[in-house]
Coordinates of all heavy atoms in Angstrom, one line a residue:
Chain A
N31 N -256.3 -144.4 24.5 CA -255.5 -145.4 25.2 C -255.4 -146.7 24.4 O -254.8 -147.7 25.0 CB -256.3 -145.7 26.6 CG -257.6 -146.4 26.3 OD1 -258.3 -146.2 25.2 ND2 -258.1 -147.1 27.2
Y32 N -255.8 -146.7 23.2 CA -255.6 -147.9 22.4 C -255.2 -147.5 21.0 O -255.8 -146.6 20.4 CB -257.0 -148.7 22.3 CG -257.0 -149.8 21.5 CD1 -256.2 -150.9 21.7 CD2 -257.8 -149.9 20.3 CE1 -256.1 -152.1 20.9 CE2 -257.7 -151.0 19.4 CZ -257.0 -152.2 19.8 OH -257.0 -153.2 18.8
Y36 N -253.5 -151.2 11.1 CA -254.2 -151.9 10.1 C -253.5 -152.0 8.8 O -252.9 -151.0 8.4 CB -255.6 -151.5 9.8 CG -256.6 -151.8 10.9 CD1 -256.8 -151.1 12.1 CD2 -257.4 -153.0 10.9 CE1 -257.6 -151.4 13.1 CE2 -258.3 -153.3 11.9 CZ -258.4 -152.6 13.0 OH -259.3 -152.9 14.0
Q38 N -254.0 -152.7 4.6 CA -255.1 -152.7 3.7 C -254.4 -153.0 2.3 O -253.8 -152.2 1.8 CB -255.9 -151.5 3.6 CG -257.2 -151.7 2.8 CD -258.2 -150.4 2.9 OE1 -257.7 -149.3 3.2 NE2 -259.4 -150.8 2.7
G41 N -258.3 -153.4 -2.8 CA -259.6 -153.9 -3.0 C -260.1 -154.7 -1.7 O -261.1 -155.4 -1.9
K42 N -259.3 -154.8 -0.7 CA -259.7 -155.5 0.5 C -260.0 -154.5 1.7 O -259.6 -153.4 1.7 CB -258.7 -156.5 0.9 CG -258.5 -157.5 -0.2 CD -257.4 -158.5 0.3 CE -257.2 -159.7 -0.8 NZ -256.2 -160.6 -0.4
G43 N -260.7 -155.1 2.8 CA -260.9 -154.4 4.0 C -259.6 -154.3 4.8 O -258.7 -155.2 4.6
P44 N -259.5 -153.4 5.7 CA -258.4 -153.3 6.7 C -258.3 -154.6 7.5 O -259.3 -155.0 8.0 CB -258.6 -152.0 7.4 CG -259.5 -151.3 6.7 CD -260.4 -152.3 6.0
Q45 N -257.0 -155.1 7.8 CA -256.8 -156.2 8.7 C -255.9 -155.8 9.7 O -254.8 -155.2 9.5 CB -256.2 -157.3 7.8 CG -257.0 -157.9 6.8 CD -258.4 -158.6 7.2 OE1 -258.4 -159.3 8.1 NE2 -259.5 -158.1 6.6
L46 N -256.3 -156.0 11.0 CA -255.4 -155.7 12.1 C -254.2 -156.5 12.1 O -254.2 -157.7 11.9 CB -256.2 -156.0 13.4 CG -255.4 -155.7 14.7 CD1 -255.4 -154.3 14.9 CD2 -256.1 -156.5 15.9
R51 N -251.8 -151.0 23.9 CA -252.5 -150.2 24.8 C -251.7 -149.2 25.5 O -250.4 -149.5 25.6 CB -253.3 -151.1 25.8 CG -254.6 -151.8 25.1 CD -255.4 -152.8 25.9 NE -256.6 -153.1 25.4 CZ -256.7 -154.1 24.4 NH1 -255.6 -154.7 24.0 NH2 -257.9 -154.4 23.9
F89 N -252.6 -148.2 8.0 CA -253.3 -147.2 8.8 C -253.0 -147.3 10.2 O -253.2 -148.4 10.8 CB -254.8 -147.2 8.5 CG -255.2 -146.8 7.1 CD1 -255.5 -147.7 6.2 CD2 -255.3 -145.4 6.8 CE1 -255.9 -147.4 4.9 CE2 -255.8 -145.2 5.5 CZ -256.0 -146.0 4.6
N96 N -263.0 -145.6 26.9 CA -264.5 -145.8 27.2 C -265.3 -145.7 26.0 O -266.5 -145.6 26.1 CB -264.9 -144.9 28.3 CG -266.1 -145.4 29.1 OD1 -266.1 -146.6 29.2 ND2 -267.0 -144.6 29.4
F97 N -264.7 -145.5 24.8 CA -265.6 -145.5 23.6 C -264.8 -146.1 22.4 O -263.8 -145.5 22.2 CB -266.2 -144.0 23.3 CG -267.0 -144.0 22.1 CD1 -268.2 -144.8 22.1 CD2 -266.7 -143.2 21.1 CE1 -269.1 -144.8 21.1 CE2 -267.5 -143.1 20.0 CZ -268.7 -143.9 19.9
N98 N -265.3 -147.0 21.7 CA -264.5 -147.6 20.8 C -264.6 -147.0 19.4 O -264.9 -147.6 18.4 CB -265.0 -149.1 20.7 CG -263.9 -149.9 20.2 OD1 -262.7 -149.6 20.2 ND2 -264.3 -151.2 19.7
K99 N -264.4 -145.7 19.3 CA -264.4 -145.0 18.1 C -262.9 -144.8 17.6 O -262.1 -144.3 18.5 CB -265.1 -143.6 18.2 CG -265.0 -142.9 16.9 CD -265.8 -141.5 17.1 CE -265.5 -140.7 15.8 NZ -266.4 -139.4 15.8
F100 N -262.7 -145.2 16.4 CA -261.3 -145.1 16.0 C -261.2 -143.8 15.1 O -261.9 -143.4 14.3 CB -260.9 -146.2 15.0 CG -260.7 -147.7 15.6 CD1 -260.9 -147.7 17.0 CD2 -260.3 -148.6 14.9 CE1 -260.6 -148.9 17.6 CE2 -260.1 -150.0 15.5 CZ -260.2 -150.1 16.9
F102 N -258.6 -142.6 12.5 CA -257.6 -143.0 11.7 C -256.6 -142.0 11.2 O -256.9 -140.9 11.0 CB -258.1 -143.7 10.5 CG -258.8 -145.1 10.8 CD1 -260.0 -145.2 10.9 CD2 -258.0 -146.2 10.6 CE1 -260.7 -146.5 11.3 CE2 -258.5 -147.4 10.9 CZ -259.9 -147.5 11.2
G103 N -255.3 -142.5 11.0 CA -254.3 -141.6 10.3 C -254.7 -141.7 8.8 O -255.5 -142.5 8.4
S104 N -254.0 -140.9 8.0 CA -254.2 -140.7 6.6 C -253.7 -141.9 5.8 O -253.9 -142.0 4.5 CB -253.7 -139.5 6.0 OG -252.4 -139.3 6.4
Chain B
R9 N -270.1 -157.1 -3.5 CA -268.7 -156.5 -3.4 C -268.5 -155.3 -4.2 O -267.8 -154.3 -4.0 CB -267.7 -157.5 -3.8 CG -267.6 -158.7 -3.0 CD -267.0 -158.3 -1.7 NE -265.9 -157.5 -1.7 CZ -264.6 -158.0 -2.0 NH1 -264.4 -159.2 -2.0 NH2 -263.6 -157.2 -2.0
Y33 N -270.3 -151.5 12.8 CA -269.9 -150.1 12.3 C -270.0 -150.0 10.8 O -269.8 -151.0 10.0 CB -268.5 -149.8 12.6 CG -268.1 -150.0 14.1 CD1 -267.7 -151.2 14.6 CD2 -267.9 -148.9 14.9 CE1 -267.3 -151.4 15.8 CE2 -267.4 -149.0 16.3 CZ -267.2 -150.3 16.7 OH -266.7 -150.4 18.0
Y35 N -268.3 -147.6 7.7 CA -267.3 -146.6 7.4 C -267.4 -146.3 5.9 O -267.7 -147.2 5.1 CB -265.9 -147.1 7.6 CG -265.4 -147.2 9.0 CD1 -265.7 -148.4 9.8 CD2 -264.7 -146.3 9.7 CE1 -265.3 -148.5 11.1 CE2 -264.3 -146.4 11.1 CZ -264.6 -147.5 11.7 OH -264.2 -147.6 13.0
Q37 N -264.9 -145.0 2.8 CA -263.5 -144.8 2.6 C -263.4 -144.4 1.0 O -263.6 -145.1 0.1 CB -262.7 -146.0 2.8 CG -261.2 -145.7 2.6 CD -260.4 -147.0 2.8 OE1 -260.9 -148.1 2.7 NE2 -259.1 -146.8 3.3
Q41 N -257.8 -142.3 1.0 CA -258.2 -141.7 2.3 C -258.4 -142.7 3.4 O -258.6 -143.9 3.1 CB -259.5 -140.7 2.2 CG -259.2 -139.6 1.2 CD -260.4 -138.7 1.2 OE1 -261.3 -138.7 2.1 NE2 -260.6 -137.9 0.1
A42 N -258.4 -142.2 4.5 CA -258.6 -143.1 5.8 C -260.2 -143.4 5.8 O -261.0 -142.7 5.3 CB -258.1 -142.5 7.0
P43 N -260.5 -144.6 6.4 CA -261.9 -144.8 6.7 C -262.5 -143.8 7.6 O -261.9 -143.3 8.5 CB -261.8 -146.1 7.3 CG -260.6 -146.9 6.9 CD -259.7 -145.7 6.8
H48 N -272.7 -146.2 14.1 CA -272.5 -147.7 14.6 C -273.7 -148.0 15.4 O -274.5 -147.2 15.9 CB -271.2 -147.8 15.4 CG -271.2 -147.2 16.7 ND1 -271.0 -145.9 17.0 CD2 -271.4 -147.8 17.9 CE1 -271.0 -145.7 18.3 NE2 -271.3 -146.8 18.9
E57 N -272.8 -140.3 13.6 CA -271.7 -139.3 13.8 C -272.3 -138.0 13.4 O -273.2 -138.0 12.5 CB -270.6 -139.7 12.8 CG -269.8 -141.0 13.3 CD -269.2 -140.7 14.6 OE1 -268.4 -139.8 14.9 OE2 -269.6 -141.5 15.5
L90 N -267.2 -149.8 4.1 CA -266.6 -150.8 5.0 C -267.5 -151.1 6.1 O -268.0 -150.2 6.9 CB -265.3 -150.5 5.5 CG -264.2 -150.3 4.4 CD1 -263.0 -149.7 5.0 CD2 -263.8 -151.7 3.8
S94 N -267.2 -155.3 16.5 CA -266.4 -155.5 17.6 C -267.3 -156.1 18.8 O -268.5 -156.0 18.7 CB -265.7 -154.3 18.3 OG -266.7 -153.3 18.6
D97 N -268.5 -152.3 23.0 CA -267.9 -150.9 22.9 C -266.8 -150.7 23.9 O -266.2 -149.6 24.0 CB -268.9 -149.7 23.1 CG -269.6 -149.8 24.5 OD1 -269.4 -150.7 25.2 OD2 -270.3 -148.8 24.8
R98 N -266.5 -151.7 24.7 CA -265.4 -151.6 25.6 C -264.2 -152.6 25.2 O -263.3 -152.6 25.7 CB -265.8 -151.9 27.0 CG -266.7 -150.8 27.6 CD -267.3 -151.1 28.9 NE -268.3 -150.1 29.4 CZ -267.9 -149.1 30.1 NH1 -266.7 -148.8 30.4 NH2 -268.9 -148.2 30.3
E99 N -264.5 -153.4 24.2 CA -263.4 -154.3 23.7 C -263.0 -153.6 22.4 O -263.8 -153.2 21.6 CB -264.1 -155.7 23.3 CG -264.4 -156.4 24.6 CD -263.1 -156.9 25.4 OE1 -262.1 -157.0 24.7 OE2 -263.2 -157.0 26.6
Y100 N -261.7 -153.6 22.2 CA -261.2 -152.7 21.3 C -261.1 -153.1 19.8 O -261.3 -152.3 18.9 CB -259.8 -152.3 21.7 CG -259.8 -151.5 23.1 CD1 -259.2 -152.2 24.2 CD2 -260.5 -150.4 23.3 CE1 -259.2 -151.6 25.3 CE2 -260.4 -149.8 24.5 CZ -259.8 -150.4 25.5 OH -259.8 -149.8 26.8
E101 N -260.7 -154.3 19.6 CA -260.4 -154.8 18.2 C -261.6 -154.7 17.3 O -262.7 -155.2 17.7 CB -259.9 -156.2 18.3 CG -259.4 -156.6 16.8 CD -258.6 -157.8 16.9 OE1 -258.3 -158.5 18.0 OE2 -258.4 -158.5 15.7
Q102 N -261.6 -154.1 16.2 CA -262.5 -154.1 15.2 C -262.1 -155.0 14.0 O -261.0 -154.9 13.5 CB -262.8 -152.7 14.6 CG -263.4 -151.8 15.7 CD -263.9 -150.4 15.2 OE1 -263.9 -150.3 14.0 NE2 -264.1 -149.6 16.1
F104 N -262.8 -156.0 10.1 CA -263.4 -155.3 8.9 C -263.9 -156.4 7.9 O -263.2 -157.4 7.8 CB -262.5 -154.4 8.3 CG -262.3 -153.1 9.1 CD1 -261.5 -152.9 10.2 CD2 -263.1 -151.9 8.5 CE1 -261.4 -151.7 10.8 CE2 -262.9 -150.7 9.3 CZ -262.2 -150.7 10.4
G105 N -265.0 -156.1 7.2 CA -265.3 -156.9 6.0 C -264.5 -156.5 4.8 O -263.7 -155.5 4.9
P106 N -264.7 -157.1 3.7 CA -263.9 -156.7 2.4 C -264.2 -155.6 1.8 O -263.7 -154.9 1.0 CB -264.1 -158.0 1.6 CG -265.5 -158.5 2.0 CD -265.6 -158.3 3.5

Side-chain angles (χ1 to χ4, degrees):
Chain A
N31 69 334
Y32 175 66
Y36 282 85
Q38 187 174 26
K42 297 183 179 180
Q45 299 295 313
L46 179 72
R51 287 181 168 79
F89 290 99
N96 207 36
F97 182 57
N98 205 17
K99 175 175 177 176
F100 286 5
F102 282 94
S104 53
Chain B
R9 295 293 313 279
Y33 308 80
Y35 288 86
Q37 186 179 27
Q41 295 183 21
H48 77 278
E57 291 300 298
L90 296 163
S94 63
D97 63 350
R98 294 173 186 269
E99 290 291 332
Y100 301 113
E101 184 170 352
Q102 292 187 17
F104 283 84

